[in-house]
Amino acid sequence: MALLVSESLQGELVTDNDQNLKVGTVRALLDAAGLLPSPDEVSALGKAYPLVRAMCDDLYAVAEARYEIPALHFEPRPLFTPWAPDPEAMNFHD
Amino acid sequence: MSTIPLSMAEAAELLRNGSLTSVSLTEAALARAEAHDKLLGVYLARFDESALAAAKQADEELASGRDRGPLHGIPIGVKDIIAAADGPTTAQSLILDRAWGAGKDAPVVARLKAAGAVLTGKLTTMEFAIGLPDQTKPFPLPRNPWDPTTWPGGSSSGTGAGVAAGFVLGGLGTDTGGSIRIPAAFCGITGLMPTFGRVPKSGCAPLGYSLDHIGPMARTARDCADMLGVIAGYDPSDPDCVDVPVDAYVPRPGASLEGLRIGVDRVHHFPESADSAVGPAFDAAIAQLEGCGATVVEIELPYFREMVAIDMLTMFSEALAYHMNDLRQRWDDYFAATRAMVARGAFVSGADFVQAQRVRRVALRALAGLYRSVDIVATPTAGTGAPAYDSPELSGQMDPERLFGTIFTPYWDPTGYPVVVAPMGFTADGLPISIQLAARPFEEATALATANAYQEVTDWHRRVPPLVVEVDS
């Protein structure tokens, strides 16, 4: 689904140095998150990393978002209930 | 003649005129699964005993004049990330604690049971609805009934393959980037992603909290309408669920599309890599819709590339939050493609996530503007038929960028708009291809009526895989 992004990045994925740098960055990010993939997986994620970063960076280029608020919703009142509540716990309705 | 009618509506009629019983229908569906599920990998768990008991009860109730509606006595299945009291929920994963949801029905499952539907079992998915099948893990490999060397699509793989093969007449899927619409398209059936908040998603293992939708998959738009009428509606257990009235979704037979304005986006949906059958089939489908009375205009979906990115980035982030502790402790227990996808969330910062939600609102404003001049947006669902398991898209390391290069579903998930997909033809290899019809929020009835009108003048949705024809003969 990020093909449009990946097409614009083909030229970036050419040098070993670039790839090593990306793999190093990826390893650092995964380490920081406490994730421990195999070397092969780190290498594969190193190839995905520029595409994910390009997707993120493209979003900062949307001028119309400059004064936009995020599509996040927060409801301070606890209006929702657990799903399929334990019947025992529902006795307060009696 | 088969004892399994093609559609739920046809089965409902036969159940009421006395030429079919729910028990015989359920037995036939279970027998078909018994014969072919080793090949197709539809079921993770079958509930034969409770299904037949529910079918017997349905027969007794219908005989006594108690009619619970169009799903009464109809065999269905549920994707195994949605809890049902009949058995554990696995999310097709070694990770999910089997105590989660044990003995409880998710609200959608409770509603289906209350409507008299016969739950035959839990259906295969991709692990936690993300990634790809992994043959090294102890779960069935779902296969496409149209060609078992191909993928049925995902992540609601079992529901798509199960409906196409006639193991069930309908079922539930979930959609975060296309997981209802992709398997519906690849398996030649109809699927509906409802408006975000239209159907409660509590009792469903999450993938992307702000993107997840539960919806129906069945052979026809009419059947999807019947299912939506049962599962839609507010439930206080889902904070995203919206308390708005449930519409009458069942389309009026023979209704014209006069006055309906359909926008067609050709800009983003016809890559060079598309199958050569898709363009002509889509043009023919649009002509059919015009023949039904609709007006067609060319449009371009706003912020297309950005919304596809927002779907991905939001899903990676929300999924990583849910899975972080388990990934740290049990990395190898996850499917390889699941961990490859979810780990991408580590590349997305908190600021990136918020920026994605800001641009998401910008795109929603633009989309609302577009919908002032159209009522439906039509596109192909995907640019190809189902890929083969040994294709580059599905073998080796998970490569979503490649896999989704010709799948056009993810744009719609962050919009929250309702989208119906319906079969519109076949590739030269005999694999189904599909049209996607998106309506305004909470206008599922418009999308379903459009798909129903199309299905009244075409028969793509009534074609069945050779495997089913073989069984019936």
Side-chain angles (χ1 to χ4, degrees), chain B residues 143-167:
Chain B
R143 293 183 178 276
N144 193 320
W146 288 94
D147 177 353
T149 67
T150 67
W151 184 46
S155 61
S156 308
S157 316
T159 315
V163 171
F167 293 4

Side-chain angles (χ1 to χ4, degrees), chain A residues 1 33 41 53 66 68, chain B residues 312 328 339 352 358 404:
Chain A
M1 59 188 64
E41 288 175 310
R53 284 311 317 162
R66 177 66 185 89
E68 191 55 89
Chain B
M312 289 293 93
R328 285 171 174 165
R339 59 197 192 219
D352 297 335
R358 296 172 79 208
F404 285 99

